[in-house]
Amino acid sequence: MNPASSASCPASVKISGYFGCNTFDDRAMREKLPKDVHKAFREFQRKGLPLTPDIARSVAHGMKEWAMEMGATHFTHWFLPMTGATAEKHDAFITWDGPGAVIERFSGSQLIQGEPDASSFPSGGLRATFEARGYTAWDPASPAFLVEGPGGKTLCIPTAFVGYHGEALDHKVPLLRSMEALSKAAVAALAHFGVTTARVTAQCGAEQEYFLVDLKLALQRPDLLFASRSLLGARPPKGQEMEDHYFGSIKDRVLGFMRDVEVECYKVGIPAKTRHNEVAPNQFEIAPIFESANLASDHNQLLMEILKRTAEKHGLLCLLHEKPFAGVNGSGKHVNWSLATEEGKNLLEPGRTPEQNLQFLFFLSAALRAIHRHGGLLRAAIASAGNDHRLGANEAPPAIMSAFLGGQLNHVLEAIECGNAADASEKRLLDFGLARLPQVVKDATDRNRTSPFAFTGNKFEFRAVGSSQPIAFPLTLINAAAAEAIQELTQELEAELAQGKELNLAALTVIRKTVIDTKVIRFEGNGYADAWREEAERRGLPHARDTVAALGSFEQSDSRDLVVNLGILTAEEWEARIHIRHEQYQKTLAIEAQVLREMAETMAIPALLEDLRLRAEALKALAAVGIELSPALRGALAAQAQLVGQAQEQLVALKAAMVFAESVTDLHDRTRAFGTAVKQTQEVLRDLLDQAEKDCAAKLWPMPVYRELLAPLI
Ligand code: ADP
Ligand code: MG
């Protein structure tokens, strides 16, 4: 059986035998393109240059031939609008061939550039409606792939989405620009260390967490369907206290799902590598092998789609929300980040010689400076209504951006700090412990799961990203902050060299200064502890507790300058993104409030009233036959009636809060109105309903309860 044509992959089929079979990858290109075109394309790709029209046309022709041979009937430009969800519009591979007849044809240029009706994608005010046109342009760094649906195959061409005047309307364009800026800065820095390379690439591996719920149960819960999280539901008697789910054996039904997900991933070239149970019941993780940040971003988007689609085939609902269930752990996405030269040398990997380690420490300090200078911005990058339920909640890193380096690397930095760099000789470099670095940091046992930025031996792990968020935006800002820091450190290095210092000493001087400057963000302790919050405050680190507070960092001039000066976004493009972040936050809260209102009004409260009525009737009937009633029975009924009454009052308050928030016109005030009035009223209502649910007759409760939703999937 050919796994490419079936979702179920027999265990005997080797992954390498079909990996990427549905992508127009190098293997397919070699087959389909003239030799010189293939060579030229590789060269463009290597250097990260845009394709010339001739080469592009020729590649597009090959792509079309390949896709049609593979059975594709439609094609789509696949892109990442600022909503965060991927967008596609399918076009058939046909054109008129005389009256009433069609033939399969379309031009190569259609593959390279498209013009979707873009007016309904958010532009944050970038594109007036009369100029609604936007263009999608193929990103040759990300291979085209085929998606198999029930109706046939569709060729998906990863594209960048730009406005009529070239404005970036998506998440890909700024990501590509940030990678370019980072590459330029790193290549220039490396030259001083005697390393010549054409490009430096930001690399990323994103570990994705998710929940699975039985679809039949989920269909009875409007909150799971429309808000991707439960908006009410009393906590189960057994949550995750037993911690027996984490890394436990995977149930067959889930394993079947995971295998299908992996087969789908492999076919489109996603290098899925690990799978396991997570901490919470019915929570799981899938992690790929790292790739270039651009590919990793496309692949993570695609992975999220595959997870959702495959789940439905298995009668499951995949929840990517950061906190689907109150009282059990939420889901994140660990974005692992590093830098590699074109030759594949990881710049965050300690070297074998003291000199190589100096270069490693140079890039490590640049990363520390990036986090130090732009901690607030990085916090804002991952701020969302969903992530607010998770950050700082003893299950995810706090909303304070700090970096963990591990005891031994910290020790090296402390030694550098204490040493007098001004008269450091080669011998003293060794004394600082640089020569011993390779052995010490490869010790992977040194882990801190509570830090938002953990250095894990040869990469940073940004652990605060939410599970449903596109990684492109945080990656863009990490790259930008790193590019700026590398540029600055290089300038400082050049200034030291200009004073006649030899390289090692000059580099050490710059590293030492940076280590001292950025010391406040280094934290090795327990990030979940209250003591850290107090300590961070003493250190003056920004602490935006929620999205409303975090979004303010976008407005700061050093945030805007960072992206504008590096050419990643124009001031207008930056403003547009801020606008959209606010809108998305407001919309999410509005949807949640509406869904909860409806569930309370049409499901929960009627059921609770019915329960009260039946109980009252039962008591009346007992009294009628002369049975003396225990005061406890009357008391319970009265207490429940009071609770339901309070819930009804809170429901009225929620409606009023929604009307109020909707009436606020100023963007920032409106965000605040949703984040305070609406959110708080909603939380109180939920709390009341959850209490009432506990005492309602089980058979009357009109939706599956937590116990059922979180029951093991067998
Ligand atoms: P864990 O964090 O669970 O210990 P690993 O360290 O093996 O697991 O890797 C976690 C993720 O980090 C994977 O997606 C992996 O591909 C990615 N990763 C590993 N090395 C790098 C690197 N140099 N740059 C970016 N990501 C990396
Ligand atoms: Mg990890």
Side-chain angles (χ1 to χ4, degrees):
M1 187 168 78
N2 173 15
S5 62
S6 161
S8 62
C9 163
S12 59
V13 174
K14 274 195 185 160
I15 296 166
S16 57
Y18 69 97
F19 186 82
C21 66
N22 276 353
T23 61
F24 190 56
D25 57 5
D26 196 57
R27 196 176 33 187
M29 283 198 194
R30 215 172 308 144
E31 237 171 67
K32 287 285 164 220
L33 302 182
K35 253 205 175 78
D36 55 327
V37 174
H38 176 246
K39 203 168 146 223
F41 179 81
R42 288 290 301 266
E43 200 56 21
F44 281 115
Q45 233 182 4
R46 198 172 69 82
K47 295 190 178 141
L49 296 170
L51 300 182
T52 60
D54 271 1
I55 298 292
R57 221 170 293 130
S58 189
V59 173
H61 179 76
M63 187 196 294
K64 179 185 72 180
E65 297 285 300
W66 169 80
M68 289 172 80
E69 266 171 38
M70 294 287 288
T73 54
H74 288 68
F75 74 100
T76 179
H77 280 192
W78 186 84
F79 60 103
L80 194 51
M82 292 187 276
T83 50
T86 47
E88 46 190 78
K89 181 185 108 187
H90 296 195
D91 278 306
F93 279 145
I94 53 167
T95 190
W96 284 116
D97 184 35
V102 294
I103 55 162
E104 270 77 15
R105 190 172 64 204
F106 66 96
S107 71
S109 64
Q110 272 178 293
L111 281 182
I112 291 167
Q113 184 165 315
E115 199 176 326
D117 175 13
S119 54
S120 50
F121 293 109
S123 73
L126 269 182
R127 198 171 9 79
T129 8
F130 61 88
E131 253 186 18
R133 282 192 302 176
Y135 293 94
T136 46
W138 178 39
D139 165 20
S142 190
F145 56 91
L146 294 170
V147 165
E148 299 171 39
K153 293 182 187 173
T154 301
L155 170 67
C156 296
I157 306 157
T159 52
F161 182 34
V162 291
Y164 195 63
H165 302 292
E167 318 87 298
L169 294 175
D170 67 353
H171 281 315
K172 186 188 266 278
V173 172
L175 175 59
L176 290 171
R177 290 180 187 159
S178 75
M179 289 176 71
E180 210 43 57
L182 183 57
S183 176
K184 237 197 236 156
V187 167
L190 282 172
H192 289 293
F193 291 94
V195 177
T196 314
T197 188
R199 279 179 76 70
V200 167
T201 305
Q203 307 190 108
C204 167
E207 304 164 54
Q208 175 74 52
E209 292 179 342
Y210 60 92
F211 276 85
L212 291 176
V213 179
D214 190 280
L215 186 60
K216 280 201 290 300
L217 298 177
L219 287 172
Q220 300 168 54
R221 300 267 326 200
D223 48 359
L224 293 183
L225 296 180
F226 297 109
S228 302
R229 76 174 180 107
S230 55
L231 296 169
L232 40 86
R235 320 233 162 128
K238 175 183 177 289
Q240 63 197 52
E241 303 84 51
M242 311 288 286
E243 303 222 332
D244 51 1
H245 188 67
Y246 191 47
F247 277 27
S249 68
I250 304 173
K251 294 272 187 301
D252 280 358
R253 182 171 178 199
V254 176
L255 207 51
F257 158 81
M258 286 176 167
R259 249 170 59 134
D260 274 359
V261 166
E262 284 164 357
V263 171
E264 291 306 314
C265 282
Y266 298 144
K267 288 198 286 193
V268 294
I270 302 174
K273 172 96 169 133
T274 57
R275 57 182 178 201
H276 60 78
N277 288 355
E278 261 301 328
V279 177
N282 294 349
Q283 190 189 26
F284 309 93
E285 181 186 296
I286 179 166
I289 301 174
F290 65 96
E291 304 174 273
S292 119
N294 175 37
L295 261 186
S297 159
D298 279 354
H299 281 166
N300 183 253
Q301 291 299 130
L302 200 49
L303 170 65
M304 292 195 283
E305 287 174 24
I306 290 174
L307 284 169
K308 286 196 249 180
R309 212 173 336 120
T310 310
E312 278 177 36
K313 284 191 199 145
H314 286 252
L316 297 164
L317 181 69
C318 176
L319 296 169
L320 295 169
H321 193 279
E322 285 75 18
K323 190 80 174 178
F325 301 101
V328 294
N329 265 15
S331 301
K333 186 138 55 188
H334 295 178
V335 172
N336 294 272
W337 177 89
S338 69
L339 299 170
T341 63
E342 200 192 358
E343 294 70 32
K345 168 97 186 57
N346 181 353
L347 300 180
L348 291 177
E349 174 116 28
R352 287 203 178 80
T353 64
E355 289 76 13
Q356 284 171 352
N357 277 334
L358 217 48
Q359 179 196 306
F360 156 70
L361 287 171
F362 180 87
F363 285 99
L364 182 83
S365 354
L368 291 176
R369 180 175 292 191
I371 302 166
H372 178 242
R373 168 104 26 103
H374 295 291
L377 179 62
L378 295 170
R379 160 71 183 98
I382 47 102
S384 74
N387 223 5
D388 279 354
H389 296 287
R390 173 179 166 263
L391 289 182
N394 275 343
E395 56 175 84
I400 306 160
M401 295 298 118
S402 67
F404 167 88
L405 295 183
Q408 294 178 306
L409 188 50
N410 237 333
H411 185 68
V412 173
L413 296 198
E414 273 159 20
I416 291 173
E417 186 189 334
C418 296
N420 181 359
D423 59 33
S425 60
E426 192 82 355
K427 164 86 176 61
R428 294 210 41 177
L429 286 181
L430 298 178
D431 289 347
F432 287 150
L434 300 189
R436 290 193 301 275
L437 207 48
Q439 300 96 53
V440 298
V441 286
K442 279 201 175 135
D443 177 6
T445 54
D446 208 357
R447 274 298 172 93
N448 183 326
R449 304 233 159 242
T450 70
S451 176
F453 267 103
F455 183 75
T456 53
N458 60 1
K459 61 187 185 291
F460 273 95
E461 183 168 346
F462 187 25
R463 304 179 58 251
V465 184
S467 50
S468 72
Q469 295 178 325
I471 58 174
F473 191 56
L475 277 173
T476 299
L477 295 179
I478 294 173
N479 291 342
E484 183 192 70
I486 293 170
Q487 264 181 6
E488 285 178 9
L489 259 63
T490 307
Q491 280 162 9
E492 289 169 22
L493 181 68
E494 284 163 0
E496 295 294 332
L497 291 170
Q499 285 177 21
K501 279 191 192 158
E502 56 92 31
L503 176 70
N504 285 354
L505 184 55
L508 191 63
T509 310
V510 173
I511 292 164
R512 181 167 182 267
K513 180 177 172 298
T514 313
V515 165
I516 295 170
D517 287 350
T518 60
K519 200 173 174 186
V520 288
I521 56 145
R522 268 162 46 211
F523 179 63
E524 304 289 305
N526 178 8
Y528 294 171
D530 285 339
W532 167 232
R533 271 172 262 262
E534 291 154 23
E535 163 75 13
E537 201 167 314
R538 271 196 297 279
R539 293 188 189 186
L541 296 180
H543 182 193
R545 283 169 180 77
D546 58 13
T547 301
V548 179
L551 289 183
S553 299
F554 285 135
E555 318 268 350
Q556 285 167 7
S557 58
D558 57 346
S559 298
R560 189 180 39 247
D561 292 350
L562 171 72
V563 291
V564 172
N565 293 345
L566 288 169
I568 291 166
L569 291 170
T570 64
E572 293 73 34
E573 288 169 343
W574 182 240
E575 289 305 318
R577 272 152 189 84
I578 300 175
H579 194 96
I580 288 170
R581 296 298 285 234
H582 279 273
E583 276 184 347
Q584 278 188 325
Y585 178 76
Q586 296 165 11
K587 276 190 191 146
T588 307
L589 274 121
I591 291 171
E592 288 191 351
Q594 277 160 17
V595 173
L596 179 62
R597 184 213 59 79
E598 188 187 311
M599 289 175 80
E601 196 145 343
T602 67
M603 299 171 81
I605 292 181
L608 289 165
L609 288 174
E610 177 64 4
D611 181 50
L612 287 172
R613 188 181 68 81
L614 289 174
R615 285 214 249 170
E617 273 175 13
L619 296 195
K620 209 165 123 194
L622 289 174
V625 294
I627 294 176
E628 197 176 328
L629 293 177
S630 149
L633 277 174
R634 287 183 194 282
L637 190 58
Q640 181 76 343
Q642 197 188 2
L643 210 50
V644 176
Q646 285 171 347
Q648 184 67 49
E649 281 161 25
Q650 198 61 27
L651 183 56
V652 174
L654 179 64
K655 286 196 256 187
M658 283 161 69
V659 171
F660 161 68
E662 294 290 357
S663 74
V664 178
T665 48
D666 176 80
L667 186 73
H668 299 84
D669 291 345
R670 204 174 142 94
T671 294
R672 215 164 297 119
F674 274 103
T676 51
V678 174
K679 193 173 170 194
Q680 285 162 9
T681 326
Q682 183 183 329
E683 276 165 10
V684 176
L685 174 58
R686 177 197 179 139
D687 207 45
L688 291 165
L689 290 172
D690 289 355
Q691 283 180 54
E693 176 198 320
K694 286 185 194 155
D695 287 339
C696 180
K699 68 172 196 266
L700 292 178
W701 194 246
M703 64 194 98
V705 297
Y706 265 34
R707 181 173 28 80
E708 294 161 296
L709 294 169
L710 292 170
L713 292 160
I714 39 173

